[in-house]
Every structure is written in structure tokens, then in C-alpha cells.
Amino acid sequence: MWEGFRRRRRTRRHGAGRGRELELERQLQECRLALAERDQSVRRLRADLDRARDASGDEAVRQGHARVEELVEAMGAALVQLATQAQLHRNGTVEVRADDVVAVGARLMRSLSAAGVDTLGTLDEEVAFDPGRHDPLSMSSAPEAGARVRIRVVGLRYRDRVLRRAGVEPVVADRES
């Protein structure tokens, strides 16, 4: 009698355990499916992101080329004139006047100025030395920051960024005898 009771109890336990086991297996399978869907979504989103990055990079390159083309187009006539003057000078067929070359240079600077490029300082201007904006022309007489210097070679800047620092030399104070 006790034996039969134990067998029935074990069967009930195993039967109840089997139902729980099946429920856990079902939940596990649902989790696996959810993870697979999530992984597929992540792969799809990464591919979309890569395509968007490529497209934005291509667009940035295209815009950069367009800007350079606009600049060269604006400077085209002056560049052609300068190249022609250089060739005529090298060949010696025509004497190229300095005033003509300076006029072409001024046209080029106007085109660059319209694009945001400007000179940094003016020739013979006296200013306080700033290592971020000035380069000493002689390392033997490198000035301290803030010391008075004279600009001997103008620099270039694009908007607020220094492209080429101005060449400077220290101002020598006149000595009275």
C-alpha cells in the first residue's frame, strides 16, 4: 500500500515537474527567438549606419571639391595670367613688368579674401611677438612673447586659423649718442 502511494506521488511530482519543465523550455525558446530578432535588428541598424556614414562622407567630399572648384574658378583668370607671365619670362620673348605681376597677385589675394583667406599683419608693422602668429626669421634672435617685433614677411590665415605665421625680427631700439 505504501509502495503504491509513493509511486503515485512520484508520478504526480514528475508530472507536475514535467509541466514546469515544458513551461521553462517554452520561455527559453521565446528568449532565443527574441535574441535572434534583436541580433538581426542590430545587424540591420549597423548596415544602415554604415550606409549613412558612407553617404555623408561622400557628400562632404563632394562639397569640398565643389568649394575648391569655386575658388579655382574665381581665381582662374588671374592664375592663367600668372602662368602666362611666368612662361613669357622664362622664354625671354616678352619682358614681364613687375607691376603686372603685382597686379595679378593682388587679384589672387582678392579672390582668396572672398573665400576667407587673409594676410596676417602688414609689411614693416611693429607688433608684440605672439608665437602662435609669428615666426622669428632668425633663431639667433628669437624674441620673448610680448617683445616688440617688426613684420618682414606677412602671414596667412583662414578665418581665425593661422595657416602661415608672419616672419618677424626684433625691433632694435635707436640708441641716442
Side-chain angles (χ1 to χ4, degrees):
M1 177 164 115
W2 289 108
E3 188 63 35
F5 177 72
R6 283 186 187 143
R7 248 183 283 147
R8 269 186 263 135
R9 194 159 190 225
R10 254 190 257 135
T11 307
R12 278 190 206 148
R13 246 194 257 155
H14 289 299
R18 181 70 180 143
R20 176 77 176 137
E21 183 179 325
L22 289 174
E23 175 61 23
L24 290 174
E25 284 180 16
R26 185 188 63 75
Q27 288 177 1
L28 180 61
Q29 188 61 27
E30 284 178 7
C31 289
R32 284 182 180 147
L33 288 172
L35 283 173
E37 286 176 18
R38 187 219 50 193
D39 289 346
Q40 187 175 6
S41 290
V42 167
R43 281 192 296 275
R44 194 172 36 254
L45 289 170
R46 282 188 177 150
D48 290 348
L49 179 61
D50 289 342
R51 278 191 297 277
R53 281 183 181 154
D54 290 344
S56 68
D58 292 345
E59 179 62 19
V61 167
R62 189 194 64 71
Q63 286 178 359
H65 287 307
R67 294 270 319 204
V68 169
E69 189 175 323
E70 287 172 15
L71 181 61
V72 171
E73 200 172 293
M75 296 178 357
L79 289 171
V80 168
Q81 190 175 3
L82 186 62
T84 302
Q85 288 174 345
Q87 188 172 359
L88 291 172
H89 177 72
R90 279 193 299 272
N91 293 344
T93 54
V94 174
E95 185 177 330
V96 179
R97 295 183 358 202
D99 288 344
D100 294 338
V101 176
V102 169
V104 172
R107 286 175 55 196
L108 287 172
M109 283 308 298
R110 281 193 301 275
S111 297
L112 288 170
S113 181
V117 177
D118 199 9
T119 56
L120 187 60
T122 56
L123 197 58
D124 288 329
E125 178 183 14
E126 285 189 25
V127 295
F129 180 71
D130 176 356
R133 299 167 52 100
H134 305 125
D135 265 337
L137 293 176
S138 170
M139 294 313 280
S140 64
S141 60
E144 299 279 328
R148 300 298 299 167
V149 293
R150 180 170 285 118
I151 295 177
R152 293 298 183 195
V153 180
V154 296
L156 287 176
R157 67 177 163 218
Y158 176 66
R159 297 187 179 153
D160 291 331
R161 184 171 170 242
V162 175
L163 301 175
R164 175 80 178 169
R165 293 184 286 211
V168 298
E169 58 185 26
V171 172
V172 178
D174 291 334
R175 295 183 185 176
E176 294 181 25
S177 346

